[in-house]
Short mmCIF file of all heavy atoms in Angstrom, two decimals:
data_model
loop_
_atom_site.label_atom_id
_atom_site.label_comp_id
_atom_site.label_asym_id
_atom_site.label_seq_id
_atom_site.Cartn_x
_atom_site.Cartn_y
_atom_site.Cartn_z
N MET A 1238 228.22 15.73 148.50
CA MET A 1238 229.00 14.52 148.72
C MET A 1238 229.94 14.86 149.94
O MET A 1238 230.78 15.83 149.94
CB MET A 1238 229.91 14.28 147.38
CG MET A 1238 230.74 13.22 147.44
SD MET A 1238 231.52 13.05 145.82
CE MET A 1238 232.53 11.60 145.97
N LYS A 1239 229.99 13.90 150.82
CA LYS A 1239 230.81 13.96 151.99
C LYS A 1239 232.20 13.42 151.64
O LYS A 1239 232.39 12.32 151.11
CB LYS A 1239 230.18 13.21 153.17
CG LYS A 1239 230.82 13.44 154.46
CD LYS A 1239 230.01 12.86 155.59
CE LYS A 1239 230.64 13.00 156.83
NZ LYS A 1239 230.03 12.38 157.92
N THR A 1240 233.32 14.16 152.16
CA THR A 1240 234.63 13.64 151.85
C THR A 1240 235.28 13.28 153.18
O THR A 1240 234.98 13.80 154.22
CB THR A 1240 235.57 14.74 151.17
OG1 THR A 1240 235.58 15.84 152.08
CG2 THR A 1240 234.96 15.20 149.85
N THR A 1241 236.13 12.24 153.13
CA THR A 1241 236.94 11.80 154.24
C THR A 1241 238.22 12.64 154.40
O THR A 1241 238.89 12.82 153.38
CB THR A 1241 237.17 10.31 154.13
OG1 THR A 1241 235.98 9.59 153.90
CG2 THR A 1241 237.85 9.85 155.44
N PRO A 1242 238.49 13.17 155.60
CA PRO A 1242 239.72 13.84 155.75
C PRO A 1242 241.04 13.14 155.37
O PRO A 1242 241.04 11.89 155.77
CB PRO A 1242 239.77 14.42 157.16
CG PRO A 1242 238.72 13.65 157.91
CD PRO A 1242 237.77 13.06 156.85
N ASN A 1243 241.89 13.67 154.76
CA ASN A 1243 243.15 12.95 154.40
C ASN A 1243 244.20 13.15 155.49
O ASN A 1243 244.71 14.25 155.50
CB ASN A 1243 243.70 13.54 153.01
CG ASN A 1243 244.86 12.79 152.55
OD1 ASN A 1243 245.43 11.93 153.24
ND2 ASN A 1243 245.27 13.02 151.27
N ILE A 1244 244.43 12.13 156.25
CA ILE A 1244 245.35 12.39 157.38
C ILE A 1244 246.85 12.55 156.91
O ILE A 1244 247.68 13.09 157.76
CB ILE A 1244 245.28 11.24 158.39
CG1 ILE A 1244 245.65 9.87 157.73
CG2 ILE A 1244 243.96 11.15 159.05
CD1 ILE A 1244 245.98 8.78 158.76
N ASP A 1245 247.17 12.18 155.71
CA ASP A 1245 248.53 12.35 155.17
C ASP A 1245 248.88 13.91 155.02
O ASP A 1245 249.93 14.19 155.10
CB ASP A 1245 248.68 11.59 153.93
CG ASP A 1245 248.72 10.10 154.16
OD1 ASP A 1245 249.13 9.67 155.30
OD2 ASP A 1245 248.36 9.33 153.29
N ASN A 1246 247.90 14.71 154.78
CA ASN A 1246 248.04 16.16 154.59
C ASN A 1246 247.82 16.98 155.91
O ASN A 1246 247.77 18.07 155.84
CB ASN A 1246 247.27 16.61 153.44
CG ASN A 1246 247.61 16.02 152.01
OD1 ASN A 1246 248.89 15.75 151.89
ND2 ASN A 1246 246.65 15.81 151.17
N ASN A 1247 247.62 16.23 156.87
CA ASN A 1247 247.46 16.95 158.20
C ASN A 1247 248.60 17.64 158.69
O ASN A 1247 249.59 16.96 158.94
CB ASN A 1247 246.85 15.91 159.25
CG ASN A 1247 246.46 16.62 160.52
OD1 ASN A 1247 246.74 17.70 160.87
ND2 ASN A 1247 245.73 15.85 161.37
N PRO A 1248 248.57 18.97 158.86
CA PRO A 1248 249.84 19.70 159.36
C PRO A 1248 250.18 19.26 160.84
O PRO A 1248 251.27 19.53 161.20
CB PRO A 1248 249.47 21.17 159.24
CG PRO A 1248 248.03 21.17 159.28
CD PRO A 1248 247.51 19.89 158.73
N LEU A 1249 249.22 18.66 161.56
CA LEU A 1249 249.63 18.21 162.81
C LEU A 1249 250.28 16.96 162.99
O LEU A 1249 250.59 16.48 164.13
CB LEU A 1249 248.23 18.30 163.78
CG LEU A 1249 247.65 19.70 163.90
CD1 LEU A 1249 246.36 19.57 164.67
CD2 LEU A 1249 248.62 20.72 164.39
N LYS A 1250 250.36 16.15 161.87
CA LYS A 1250 250.93 14.89 161.86
C LYS A 1250 252.33 15.02 162.14
O LYS A 1250 253.06 15.82 161.59
CB LYS A 1250 250.63 14.23 160.47
CG LYS A 1250 251.19 12.78 160.34
CD LYS A 1250 250.90 12.34 159.03
CE LYS A 1250 251.49 10.96 158.87
NZ LYS A 1250 251.33 10.51 157.47
N ALA A 1251 252.88 14.10 163.04
CA ALA A 1251 254.22 14.21 163.42
C ALA A 1251 255.11 13.78 162.19
O ALA A 1251 254.84 12.79 161.53
CB ALA A 1251 254.54 13.24 164.53
N LYS A 1252 256.26 14.54 162.00
CA LYS A 1252 257.13 14.23 160.95
C LYS A 1252 258.55 13.92 161.57
O LYS A 1252 258.90 14.48 162.57
CB LYS A 1252 257.26 15.51 160.03
CG LYS A 1252 256.07 15.93 159.37
CD LYS A 1252 255.99 15.58 157.94
CE LYS A 1252 254.72 16.11 157.28
NZ LYS A 1252 254.27 15.44 156.17
N PRO A 1253 259.23 12.93 160.98
CA PRO A 1253 260.46 12.65 161.56
C PRO A 1253 261.47 13.78 161.51
O PRO A 1253 261.53 14.58 160.53
CB PRO A 1253 261.02 11.52 160.72
CG PRO A 1253 260.08 11.32 159.49
CD PRO A 1253 258.88 12.17 159.81
N GLN A 1254 262.10 14.16 162.64
CA GLN A 1254 263.14 15.16 162.71
C GLN A 1254 264.39 14.76 162.02
O GLN A 1254 264.77 13.50 161.97
CB GLN A 1254 263.43 15.52 164.11
CG GLN A 1254 262.25 16.01 164.83
CD GLN A 1254 261.81 17.38 164.49
OE1 GLN A 1254 262.78 18.28 164.02
NE2 GLN A 1254 260.57 17.81 164.42
N ALA A 1255 265.15 15.76 161.55
CA ALA A 1255 266.39 15.33 160.83
C ALA A 1255 267.44 14.65 161.91
O ALA A 1255 268.12 13.84 161.56
CB ALA A 1255 267.04 16.55 160.19
N ALA A 1256 267.44 15.19 163.13
CA ALA A 1256 268.28 14.67 164.15
C ALA A 1256 267.88 13.17 164.49
O ALA A 1256 268.78 12.47 164.87
CB ALA A 1256 268.09 15.47 165.56
N ALA A 1257 266.65 12.73 164.25
CA ALA A 1257 266.32 11.29 164.52
C ALA A 1257 266.99 10.39 163.49
O ALA A 1257 266.96 9.23 163.66
CB ALA A 1257 264.83 11.13 164.52
N LYS A 1258 267.44 11.00 162.31
CA LYS A 1258 267.92 10.16 161.32
C LYS A 1258 269.40 9.93 161.43
O LYS A 1258 269.97 9.06 160.79
CB LYS A 1258 267.64 10.86 159.93
CG LYS A 1258 266.25 10.93 159.71
CD LYS A 1258 266.00 11.63 158.26
CE LYS A 1258 264.49 11.84 158.01
NZ LYS A 1258 264.37 12.61 156.72
N ARG A 1259 270.07 10.69 162.25
CA ARG A 1259 271.51 10.43 162.51
C ARG A 1259 271.79 10.21 163.94
O ARG A 1259 270.98 10.56 164.82
CB ARG A 1259 272.36 11.62 161.98
CG ARG A 1259 271.94 12.96 162.79
CD ARG A 1259 272.80 14.15 162.12
NE ARG A 1259 272.33 15.40 162.61
CZ ARG A 1259 271.64 16.30 162.13
NH1 ARG A 1259 271.09 16.09 160.91
NH2 ARG A 1259 271.35 17.40 162.73
N PRO A 1260 272.85 9.56 164.33
CA PRO A 1260 273.22 9.32 165.76
C PRO A 1260 273.38 10.67 166.59
O PRO A 1260 273.85 11.63 166.02
CB PRO A 1260 274.40 8.44 165.69
CG PRO A 1260 274.89 8.58 164.44
CD PRO A 1260 273.88 9.07 163.46
N ALA A 1261 272.93 10.69 167.87
CA ALA A 1261 273.21 11.84 168.62
C ALA A 1261 274.60 11.92 169.01
O ALA A 1261 275.31 11.00 169.15
CB ALA A 1261 272.39 11.63 169.91
N LEU A 1262 275.12 13.15 169.12
CA LEU A 1262 276.49 13.56 169.43
C LEU A 1262 276.53 13.50 171.01
O LEU A 1262 275.63 13.93 171.71
CB LEU A 1262 276.85 14.98 168.96
CG LEU A 1262 276.92 15.12 167.49
CD1 LEU A 1262 277.05 16.44 167.14
CD2 LEU A 1262 277.86 14.07 166.78
N PRO A 1263 277.70 13.01 171.55
CA PRO A 1263 277.81 12.99 172.95
C PRO A 1263 278.12 14.34 173.66
O PRO A 1263 279.14 14.59 174.15
CB PRO A 1263 278.88 11.94 173.19
CG PRO A 1263 279.73 12.24 171.94
CD PRO A 1263 278.78 12.44 170.86
N ILE A 1264 277.12 15.27 173.50
CA ILE A 1264 277.25 16.56 174.07
C ILE A 1264 276.62 16.67 175.39
O ILE A 1264 275.39 16.56 175.44
CB ILE A 1264 276.85 17.61 173.09
CG1 ILE A 1264 277.65 17.56 171.73
CG2 ILE A 1264 276.93 19.13 173.65
CD1 ILE A 1264 277.11 18.46 170.62
N PRO A 1265 277.20 16.95 176.46
CA PRO A 1265 276.49 17.14 177.77
C PRO A 1265 275.64 18.38 177.89
O PRO A 1265 275.85 19.35 177.21
CB PRO A 1265 277.68 17.20 178.72
CG PRO A 1265 278.77 17.69 178.04
CD PRO A 1265 278.61 17.24 176.65
N VAL A 1266 274.52 18.26 178.59
CA VAL A 1266 273.68 19.32 178.88
C VAL A 1266 274.19 20.09 179.97
O VAL A 1266 274.39 19.54 181.04
CB VAL A 1266 272.17 18.89 179.07
CG1 VAL A 1266 271.28 19.96 179.39
CG2 VAL A 1266 271.58 18.04 177.93
N ARG A 1267 274.49 21.41 179.69
CA ARG A 1267 275.07 22.21 180.81
C ARG A 1267 274.00 23.21 181.43
O ARG A 1267 274.11 23.50 182.62
CB ARG A 1267 276.16 23.00 180.30
CG ARG A 1267 277.34 22.19 179.72
CD ARG A 1267 278.29 21.68 180.78
NE ARG A 1267 279.33 21.11 180.08
CZ ARG A 1267 280.03 20.02 180.74
NH1 ARG A 1267 279.68 19.66 181.94
NH2 ARG A 1267 281.00 19.61 180.15
N PHE A 1268 273.13 23.64 180.55
CA PHE A 1268 272.13 24.63 181.02
C PHE A 1268 270.79 24.25 180.53
O PHE A 1268 270.64 23.55 179.47
CB PHE A 1268 272.49 25.99 180.50
CG PHE A 1268 273.72 26.58 181.07
CD1 PHE A 1268 274.90 26.48 180.30
CD2 PHE A 1268 273.80 27.21 182.24
CE1 PHE A 1268 276.14 26.88 180.85
CE2 PHE A 1268 274.98 27.73 182.69
CZ PHE A 1268 276.17 27.53 182.00
N ILE A 1269 269.73 24.70 181.09
CA ILE A 1269 268.32 24.51 180.70
C ILE A 1269 267.61 25.87 180.77
O ILE A 1269 267.82 26.54 181.64
CB ILE A 1269 267.70 23.34 181.66
CG1 ILE A 1269 266.34 23.13 181.06
CG2 ILE A 1269 267.52 23.84 183.09
CD1 ILE A 1269 265.75 21.85 181.64
N GLY A 1270 266.70 26.05 179.78
CA GLY A 1270 265.98 27.28 179.77
C GLY A 1270 264.69 27.19 180.50
O GLY A 1270 263.91 26.15 180.34
N VAL A 1271 264.37 28.08 181.45
CA VAL A 1271 263.22 27.94 182.22
C VAL A 1271 262.24 29.19 181.76
O VAL A 1271 261.27 29.36 182.38
CB VAL A 1271 263.46 28.11 183.69
CG1 VAL A 1271 264.27 26.90 184.11
CG2 VAL A 1271 264.21 29.32 184.05
N GLY A 1272 262.61 29.83 180.77
CA GLY A 1272 261.81 31.02 180.16
C GLY A 1272 262.23 31.21 178.80
O GLY A 1272 262.81 30.38 178.06
N GLU A 1273 262.01 32.42 178.36
CA GLU A 1273 262.27 32.90 177.01
C GLU A 1273 263.53 33.55 176.71
O GLU A 1273 264.07 33.74 175.69
CB GLU A 1273 261.11 33.63 176.46
CG GLU A 1273 259.78 32.79 176.31
CD GLU A 1273 258.64 33.48 175.79
OE1 GLU A 1273 258.86 34.70 175.17
OE2 GLU A 1273 257.62 33.01 175.75
N GLY A 1274 264.16 34.28 177.84
CA GLY A 1274 265.29 35.12 177.68
C GLY A 1274 266.57 34.43 178.24
O GLY A 1274 266.56 33.39 178.74
N LEU A 1275 267.68 35.12 177.87
CA LEU A 1275 269.02 34.59 178.29
C LEU A 1275 269.11 34.57 179.87
O LEU A 1275 269.73 33.79 180.33
CB LEU A 1275 270.11 35.45 177.73
CG LEU A 1275 270.35 35.22 176.19
CD1 LEU A 1275 271.44 36.21 175.68
CD2 LEU A 1275 270.79 33.83 175.87
N ASP A 1276 268.37 35.44 180.45
CA ASP A 1276 268.37 35.42 181.91
C ASP A 1276 267.62 34.30 182.62
O ASP A 1276 267.74 34.11 183.67
CB ASP A 1276 267.83 36.80 182.51
CG ASP A 1276 268.55 38.03 182.11
OD1 ASP A 1276 269.80 37.90 181.85
OD2 ASP A 1276 268.00 39.14 182.15
N ASP A 1277 267.00 33.51 181.73
CA ASP A 1277 266.17 32.43 182.20
C ASP A 1277 266.92 31.09 182.04
O ASP A 1277 266.25 30.04 182.25
CB ASP A 1277 264.84 32.28 181.38
CG ASP A 1277 264.02 33.55 181.66
OD1 ASP A 1277 263.94 34.08 182.82
OD2 ASP A 1277 263.36 33.95 180.74
N LEU A 1278 268.33 31.16 181.75
CA LEU A 1278 269.09 29.93 181.77
C LEU A 1278 269.50 29.52 183.12
O LEU A 1278 269.94 30.38 183.95
CB LEU A 1278 270.26 30.08 180.85
CG LEU A 1278 270.06 30.19 179.36
CD1 LEU A 1278 271.32 30.45 178.60
CD2 LEU A 1278 269.51 28.85 178.90
N ARG A 1279 269.44 28.35 183.47
CA ARG A 1279 269.89 27.81 184.79
C ARG A 1279 270.70 26.58 184.60
O ARG A 1279 270.75 25.94 183.56
CB ARG A 1279 268.66 27.24 185.63
CG ARG A 1279 267.57 28.31 185.87
CD ARG A 1279 268.04 29.36 186.82
NE ARG A 1279 267.00 30.34 187.08
CZ ARG A 1279 266.79 31.39 186.53
NH1 ARG A 1279 267.57 31.80 185.50
NH2 ARG A 1279 265.85 32.31 186.83
N PRO A 1280 271.74 26.43 185.43
CA PRO A 1280 272.61 25.11 185.37
C PRO A 1280 271.68 23.92 185.38
O PRO A 1280 270.70 23.85 186.18
CB PRO A 1280 273.45 25.35 186.57
CG PRO A 1280 273.45 26.71 187.02
CD PRO A 1280 272.22 27.11 186.68
N PHE A 1281 271.96 23.03 184.56
CA PHE A 1281 271.30 21.72 184.51
C PHE A 1281 271.68 20.80 185.50
O PHE A 1281 272.93 20.32 185.49
CB PHE A 1281 271.25 21.12 183.11
CG PHE A 1281 270.53 19.82 182.99
CD1 PHE A 1281 269.09 19.90 182.99
CD2 PHE A 1281 271.17 18.63 182.85
CE1 PHE A 1281 268.41 18.63 182.89
CE2 PHE A 1281 270.47 17.49 182.73
CZ PHE A 1281 269.12 17.50 182.70
N VAL A 1282 270.81 20.34 186.43
CA VAL A 1282 271.22 19.27 187.39
C VAL A 1282 270.09 18.28 187.19
O VAL A 1282 268.93 18.40 187.40
CB VAL A 1282 271.13 19.96 188.87
CG1 VAL A 1282 271.45 18.73 189.84
CG2 VAL A 1282 272.15 21.03 188.98
N ALA A 1283 270.54 17.08 186.70
CA ALA A 1283 269.66 16.03 186.28
C ALA A 1283 268.64 15.55 187.42
O ALA A 1283 267.45 15.52 187.25
CB ALA A 1283 270.30 14.81 185.74
N GLU A 1284 269.17 15.45 188.58
CA GLU A 1284 268.23 15.13 189.69
C GLU A 1284 267.21 16.03 190.01
O GLU A 1284 266.09 15.76 190.19
CB GLU A 1284 269.10 14.82 190.94
CG GLU A 1284 270.14 13.53 190.82
CD GLU A 1284 271.42 13.93 190.15
OE1 GLU A 1284 271.61 15.09 189.99
OE2 GLU A 1284 272.07 12.99 189.85
N ASP A 1285 267.64 17.40 190.12
CA ASP A 1285 266.62 18.38 190.34
C ASP A 1285 265.57 18.48 189.13
O ASP A 1285 264.37 18.79 189.45
CB ASP A 1285 267.43 19.82 190.43
CG ASP A 1285 268.31 19.84 191.59
OD1 ASP A 1285 268.18 19.02 192.43
OD2 ASP A 1285 269.10 20.73 191.59
N PHE A 1286 266.09 18.34 187.94
CA PHE A 1286 265.05 18.33 186.83
C PHE A 1286 263.99 17.22 186.85
O PHE A 1286 262.98 17.41 186.69
CB PHE A 1286 265.92 18.17 185.46
CG PHE A 1286 265.03 18.15 184.22
CD1 PHE A 1286 264.59 19.52 183.78
CD2 PHE A 1286 264.77 17.06 183.61
CE1 PHE A 1286 263.72 19.41 182.62
CE2 PHE A 1286 263.91 17.08 182.42
CZ PHE A 1286 263.45 18.25 181.91
N VAL A 1287 264.53 16.04 187.15
CA VAL A 1287 263.51 14.93 187.27
C VAL A 1287 262.58 15.12 188.46
O VAL A 1287 261.34 14.79 188.37
CB VAL A 1287 264.37 13.59 187.40
CG1 VAL A 1287 263.35 12.42 187.79
CG2 VAL A 1287 265.08 13.30 186.17
N GLU A 1288 263.16 15.55 189.56
CA GLU A 1288 262.22 15.78 190.74
C GLU A 1288 261.23 16.85 190.39
O GLU A 1288 260.01 16.77 190.70
CB GLU A 1288 263.06 16.33 191.87
CG GLU A 1288 263.82 15.21 192.63
CD GLU A 1288 264.61 15.70 193.81
OE1 GLU A 1288 264.57 16.93 194.15
OE2 GLU A 1288 265.47 14.88 194.36
N ALA A 1289 261.54 18.01 189.69
CA ALA A 1289 260.69 18.99 189.33
C ALA A 1289 259.68 18.53 188.28
O ALA A 1289 258.54 18.82 188.34
CB ALA A 1289 261.39 20.26 188.81
N LEU A 1290 260.10 17.74 187.46
CA LEU A 1290 259.21 17.13 186.32
C LEU A 1290 258.21 16.19 186.98
O LEU A 1290 257.07 16.25 186.51
CB LEU A 1290 260.07 16.27 185.32
CG LEU A 1290 259.51 15.78 184.16
CD1 LEU A 1290 258.89 16.94 183.30
CD2 LEU A 1290 260.41 14.88 183.33
N LEU A 1291 258.56 15.53 187.96
CA LEU A 1291 257.64 14.49 188.48
C LEU A 1291 256.84 15.09 189.74
O LEU A 1291 255.97 14.43 190.31
CB LEU A 1291 258.29 13.31 189.14
CG LEU A 1291 258.98 12.45 187.91
CD1 LEU A 1291 259.85 11.31 188.54
CD2 LEU A 1291 258.06 11.99 186.89
N GLY A 1292 257.22 16.40 190.06
CA GLY A 1292 256.54 17.00 191.14
C GLY A 1292 256.93 16.52 192.57
O GLY A 1292 256.27 16.50 193.56
N LEU A 1293 258.18 15.99 192.67
CA LEU A 1293 258.68 15.52 193.87
C LEU A 1293 259.49 16.47 194.70
O LEU A 1293 259.90 16.21 195.78
CB LEU A 1293 259.59 14.22 193.55
CG LEU A 1293 259.06 13.12 192.87
CD1 LEU A 1293 260.06 12.01 192.44
CD2 LEU A 1293 257.87 12.54 193.61
N GLY A 1294 259.68 17.67 194.20
CA GLY A 1294 260.45 18.74 194.90
C GLY A 1294 259.66 19.30 195.92
O GLY A 1294 258.62 18.82 196.30
N GLU A 1295 260.15 20.39 196.54
CA GLU A 1295 259.52 21.16 197.62
C GLU A 1295 258.17 21.64 197.23
O GLU A 1295 257.65 22.15 196.30
CB GLU A 1295 260.36 22.33 197.96
CG GLU A 1295 261.77 21.79 198.51
CD GLU A 1295 262.67 22.91 198.74
OE1 GLU A 1295 262.21 23.95 199.12
OE2 GLU A 1295 263.89 22.73 198.52
#
């Protein structure tokens, strides 16, 4: 007998995050991690981040 997969029990299914249930706090982003260590923290500059994300930088 062939069974149909139950998508409700799929571990890859997106679940709502706890933060999505409450309003975000107005905390500014000061640093961004570009790796896994503390030495990989860089000052966050929104314009530079968007340019790098879109591939518009150098």
Side-chain angles (χ1 to χ4, degrees):
M1238 178 179 185
K1239 188 174 182 181
T1240 61
T1241 307
N1243 183 352
I1244 62 169
D1245 291 330
N1246 292 329
N1247 185 343
L1249 300 177
K1250 182 179 174 185
K1252 303 252 181 202
Q1254 297 287 330
K1258 296 179 183 177
R1259 62 180 178 256
L1262 298 174
I1264 300 173
V1266 176
R1267 301 278 187 209
F1268 296 95
I1269 188 165
V1271 296
E1273 296 181 9
L1275 287 175
D1276 294 340
D1277 298 321
L1278 287 175
R1279 302 287 183 266
F1281 179 73
V1282 179
E1284 293 83 9
D1285 295 345
F1286 179 78
V1287 172
E1288 286 179 3
L1290 185 66
L1291 298 176
L1293 301 175
E1295 299 173 31

